């Protein structure tokens, strides 16, 4: 058994049955991916210093990158807090001016906001104003300069909040992540002969009837290496030629296509043996870019990663 392990490697196991002795297929080790098959990158940053302040300085992009549940929570809380604060300010003005004590019983008294007697009525007035409902029952009178100033401030603040949050939700909904679900990649990449040449191949296809305009594909080899000077480069990226010179990287994706990388003297796989391919730690990341015909959105980016079998 030890001789077999020395010959075939530690990945081979000997299975002993009652009648005969057979050899099982090589056991695949669970590898941690750099990029998952759904395109999500398994990279976490740490010990950068002032990381939180950097995310807050780019707040809009931070909100877009959040998960949907956090976006919806922030959306609801922002509007709820803004509504309660602005309604409280209208109530405070009515309280300071003494509008609450009159309660609309004195016809000779002119309040700041007509028919605002308590906090619920102040809240309803704010909602009617902000949503431009305009029932006509509650309105600002001309003898309330502080109310006019607050009304102008409310209009400006409401426009800013609406533009920020609605813009964030719109951009998040228009992201191409779900469009990537209808782009199918082969489960594994293979190495085989094609046209008398050894090639690394995988397939890609579009499930939708709408075309990917100006589709272009690129491949990256992610592998750690050591330079001749002794420097260790973790997760070094190397470009794989999938037809840059011949234009084969420009895809007309109306039917499933097979993408080929020729393993020649310029290929990083040229000096690797079959055992090296099985034992070495590396990953191939495929990037497909194009324009969706139905929406006209440009620079869509879909990523899939492969381990070579």
């Amino acid at each position: 058994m030890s001789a077999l392990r020395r010959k075939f490697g530690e990945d081979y196991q000997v299975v002993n049955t009652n009648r005969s002795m057979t050899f099982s297929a090589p056991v695949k080790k669970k590898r941690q991916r750099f990029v998952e098959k759904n395109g999500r990158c398994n990279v976490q940053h740490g010990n950068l210093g002032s990381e939180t302040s950097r995310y807050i300085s780019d707040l809009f992009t931070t909100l877009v990158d959040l998960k949907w549940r956090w976006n919806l929570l922030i959306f609801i809380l922002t509007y709820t807090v803004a509504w309660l604060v602005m309604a409280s300010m209208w109530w405070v003005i009515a309280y300071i001016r003494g509008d609450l004590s009159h309660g609309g019983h004195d016809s000779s008294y002119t309040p700041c906001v007509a028919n605002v007697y308590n906090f619920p009525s102040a809240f309803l007035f704010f909602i009617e104003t902000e949503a431009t409902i305009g029932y006509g029952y509650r309105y600002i009178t001309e003898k309330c300069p502080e109310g006019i100033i607050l009304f102008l401030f409310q209009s400006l603040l409401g426009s800013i909040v609406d533009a920020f949050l609605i813009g964030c939700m719109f951009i998040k909904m228009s992201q191409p992540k779900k469009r990537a679900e209808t782009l199918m990649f082969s489960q594994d990449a293979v190495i085989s002969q094609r046209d008398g040449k050894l090639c690394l191949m995988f397939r890609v296809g579009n499930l939708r009837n709408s075309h990917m305009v100006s589709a272009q594909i690129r491949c990256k080899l992610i592998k750690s290496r050591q330079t001749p000077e002794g420097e260790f480069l973790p997760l070094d990226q190397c470009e794989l030629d999938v037809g840059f010179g011949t234009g084969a990287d420009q895809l007309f994706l109306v039917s499933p296509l097979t993408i080929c990388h020729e393993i020649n003297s310029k290929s990083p796989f040229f000096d690797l043996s079959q055992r090296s391919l099985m034992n070495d730690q590396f990953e191939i990341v495929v990037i497909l870019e194009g324009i969706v015909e139905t929406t006209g959105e440009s620079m869509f980016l879909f990523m899939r990663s492969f381990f070579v079998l």
Side-chain angles (χ1 to χ4, degrees):
M1 184 181 299
S2 59
L4 290 173
R5 290 189 179 277
R6 286 196 300 269
K7 181 178 181 181
F8 294 104
E10 294 296 330
D11 288 343
Y12 284 80
Q13 292 182 345
V14 177
V15 179
N16 189 7
T17 62
N18 294 330
R19 295 185 177 182
S20 61
M21 180 177 294
T22 60
F23 301 99
S24 67
V27 178
K28 299 179 184 178
K29 296 180 180 179
K30 182 68 175 179
R31 301 182 184 179
Q32 182 66 32
R33 291 184 177 272
F34 180 70
V35 179
E36 295 288 349
K37 281 190 173 291
N38 59 5
R40 184 176 62 87
C41 296
N42 290 326
V43 179
Q44 294 182 353
H45 304 284
N47 299 324
L48 298 179
S50 64
E51 183 178 358
T52 303
S53 61
R54 294 176 183 271
Y55 281 110
I56 294 178
S57 63
D58 189 12
L59 184 60
F60 188 82
T61 306
T62 302
L63 291 178
V64 173
D65 289 340
L66 288 176
K67 295 183 178 180
W68 268 110
R69 55 178 175 266
W70 296 112
N71 277 107
L72 294 176
L73 179 62
I74 293 174
F75 187 87
I76 295 173
L77 288 180
T78 301
Y79 273 109
T80 302
V81 171
W83 290 349
L84 292 176
V85 170
M86 293 303 302
S88 300
M89 296 178 68
W90 285 112
W91 180 85
V92 169
I93 290 179
Y95 177 80
I96 294 176
R97 289 177 56 87
D99 297 347
L100 304 181
S101 58
H102 287 80
H105 303 295
D106 188 0
S107 59
S108 61
Y109 178 76
T110 303
C112 179
V113 180
N115 302 310
V116 173
Y117 313 124
N118 47 34
F119 182 79
S121 60
F123 183 79
L124 288 175
F125 168 73
F126 166 75
I127 295 297
E128 294 172 14
T129 306
E130 180 66 22
T132 63
I133 296 175
Y135 291 125
Y137 185 67
R138 300 178 180 88
Y139 55 89
I140 303 176
T141 61
E142 67 277 4
K143 295 185 178 181
C144 184
E146 59 270 28
I148 297 175
I149 295 175
L150 181 59
F151 171 74
L152 295 175
F153 174 75
Q154 170 187 320
S155 300
L156 293 174
L157 181 62
S159 300
I160 294 174
V161 172
D162 289 343
F164 189 84
L165 292 181
I166 295 177
C168 175
M169 299 295 286
F170 176 78
I171 291 178
K172 189 169 184 63
M173 286 188 295
S174 62
Q175 284 184 322
K177 292 183 178 180
K178 293 302 180 182
R179 179 64 177 88
E181 298 297 330
T182 54
L183 283 174
M184 301 296 295
F185 288 80
S186 54
Q187 183 68 22
D188 300 300
V190 298
I191 294 179
S192 179
Q193 292 280 344
R194 168 170 281 196
D195 296 330
K197 301 175 183 178
L198 197 62
C199 297
L200 169 71
M201 296 179 290
F202 60 90
R203 302 195 78 191
V204 58
N206 182 20
L207 295 182
R208 292 189 180 275
N209 293 328
S210 58
H211 300 309
M212 291 287 295
V213 183
S214 301
Q216 182 180 15
I217 196 164
R218 294 185 293 119
C219 295
K220 290 284 187 179
L221 175 66
I222 311 296
K223 180 182 179 181
S224 301
R225 69 181 183 91
Q226 189 171 5
T227 64
E229 295 79 13
E231 180 184 3
F232 180 73
L233 301 178
L235 301 177
D236 184 51
Q237 299 184 14
C238 176
E239 191 80 17
L240 297 181
D241 186 2
V242 289
F244 305 136
T246 60
D249 60 323
Q250 304 291 332
L251 307 181
F252 184 48
L253 203 58
V254 295
S255 62
L257 299 177
T258 301
I259 310 301
C260 294
H261 164 69
E262 181 183 344
I263 302 179
N264 51 28
S265 58
K266 298 181 180 179
S267 173
F269 300 118
F270 186 72
D271 296 327
L272 296 181
S273 63
Q274 181 179 359
R275 183 179 295 274
S276 299
L277 287 174
M278 297 297 298
N279 296 331
D280 283 4
Q281 295 289 332
F282 67 89
E283 189 170 335
I284 300 173
V285 179
V286 180
I287 305 170
L288 176 61
E289 302 175 76
I291 301 175
V292 177
E293 181 186 29
T294 53
T295 62
E297 294 286 344
S298 59
M299 297 306 294
F300 277 80
L301 181 63
F302 309 105
M303 292 187 293
R304 294 293 185 270
S305 63
F306 297 100
F307 290 131
V308 179
L309 294 182

